[in-house]
Amino acid sequence: FSGPFTDVVTTNLKLRNPSDRKVCFKVKTTAPRRYCVRPNSGIIDPGSSVIVSVMLQPFDYDPNEKSKHKFMVQTTYAPPNISDMEAVWKEAKPDELMDSKLRCVFEMPNENDKLNDIDASKPAPVLNTSKQDGPMPKPHSVSLNDTETRKLVEECKRLQAEIMKLTDENRHLRDEGLRLRKVAHSDKSGSPTALTLRDNGSNPLPSLLVVIAAIFIGFFLGKFIL
């Protein structure tokens, strides 16, 4: 049985009947709780063979502990009319029984072999890793740039929306100024000077806001381009 023994370890045992008669077989072990044998008994036809799976259950392996587990394959010629296998073994005479004893051996992979296997399989992954060590920070920096870019784009969109809003307000104020001029011309009793002053006072404010928004747009676009 080859370790590690942290999971079920299966070993196949091949039994062959070289005779011209049917043979009954039974597999026994000194540690029945540690092994699962399938099939553990049966009949082998003349010239045929059968595969017996011996499954070792997981356990804590101690390399300093010598294995004392043993198996015995017991066989006998099958009677002509066999109906009860248990009766065959009970009625069989000692000189009619044949047996083969097997000792269990537990083997762990050699540490040196494992190291050699790891060293042999490492060069390609190590080279790939070393190649990736240099450019590794770049994806991180790219992600940061992407985040900053997204913020700048969102800020630009917000400023563009503000400009559009200010433009609409400016257009509305201009329309209002034109309306007031028309009212001033139509209203002879009104004061042209006062209307003119009111028109002139209403126009600079939106124009100033547009200039400020344009400065902000230029600042953020310049930062985005750099």
Side-chain angles (χ1 to χ4, degrees):
F1 297 92
S2 298
F5 303 100
T6 56
D7 202 352
V8 176
V9 181
T10 302
T11 296
N12 293 326
L13 180 65
K14 184 177 182 180
L15 305 180
R16 183 175 179 275
N17 178 13
S19 68
D20 56 356
R21 296 174 57 184
K22 290 185 177 182
V23 172
C24 298
F25 75 92
K26 178 187 289 188
V27 181
K28 298 181 179 180
T29 178
T30 57
R33 294 184 179 180
R34 298 286 293 275
Y35 299 91
C36 181
V37 183
R38 293 290 182 274
N40 60 355
S41 62
I43 300 175
I44 307 176
D45 293 329
S48 300
S49 60
V50 65
I51 300 296
V52 178
S53 296
V54 182
M55 290 162 277
L56 173 62
Q57 304 304 307
F59 71 102
D60 294 330
Y61 174 71
D62 185 0
N64 298 323
E65 182 181 355
K66 293 184 179 181
S67 172
K68 298 180 180 179
H69 300 169
K70 295 180 181 179
F71 277 82
M72 182 175 69
V73 181
Q74 199 170 37
T75 58
T76 184
Y77 286 116
N81 297 320
I82 181 172
S83 58
D84 187 2
M85 288 289 294
E86 292 297 328
V88 171
W89 296 109
K90 289 180 180 179
E91 296 173 1
K93 298 178 181 180
D95 57 350
E96 297 176 348
L97 296 176
M98 295 166 283
D99 58 69
S100 298
K101 294 181 180 180
L102 303 171
R103 183 174 63 87
C104 295
V105 177
F106 301 144
E107 294 181 350
M108 287 292 289
N110 193 342
E111 294 297 331
N112 294 330
D113 293 342
K114 289 200 299 184
L115 291 175
N116 291 335
D117 292 342
I118 293 174
D119 292 339
S121 60
K122 266 189 176 181
V126 167
L127 288 175
N128 291 337
T129 304
S130 63
K131 289 180 180 179
Q132 293 176 0
D133 287 343
M136 275 300 289
K138 289 186 178 179
H140 182 67
S141 62
V142 169
S143 63
L144 289 177
N145 290 336
D146 290 343
T147 303
E148 187 176 356
T149 301
R150 284 196 296 270
K151 290 181 179 179
L152 291 174
V153 170
E154 291 174 358
E155 187 66 20
C156 288
K157 289 181 179 179
R158 187 183 67 80
L159 291 174
Q160 288 176 356
E162 289 290 336
I163 289 177
M164 292 179 64
K165 182 179 178 182
L166 292 173
T167 303
D168 292 338
E169 291 180 357
N170 190 27
R171 185 169 54 251
H172 176 72
L173 290 173
R174 286 179 180 177
D175 294 340
E176 184 68 17
L178 291 176
R179 188 183 67 80
L180 290 173
R181 286 191 184 96
K182 291 179 181 180
V183 171
H185 286 296
S186 62
D187 188 4
K188 296 181 179 180
S189 62
S191 176
T193 305
L195 292 175
T196 304
L197 289 175
R198 183 163 46 171
D199 291 341
N200 293 334
S202 61
N203 286 333
L205 178 60
S207 300
L208 180 60
L209 292 177
V210 171
V211 171
I212 294 173
I215 292 173
F216 274 107
I217 284 290
F219 172 75
F220 280 103
L221 288 177
K223 186 176 179 181
F224 174 71
I225 294 172
L226 291 178

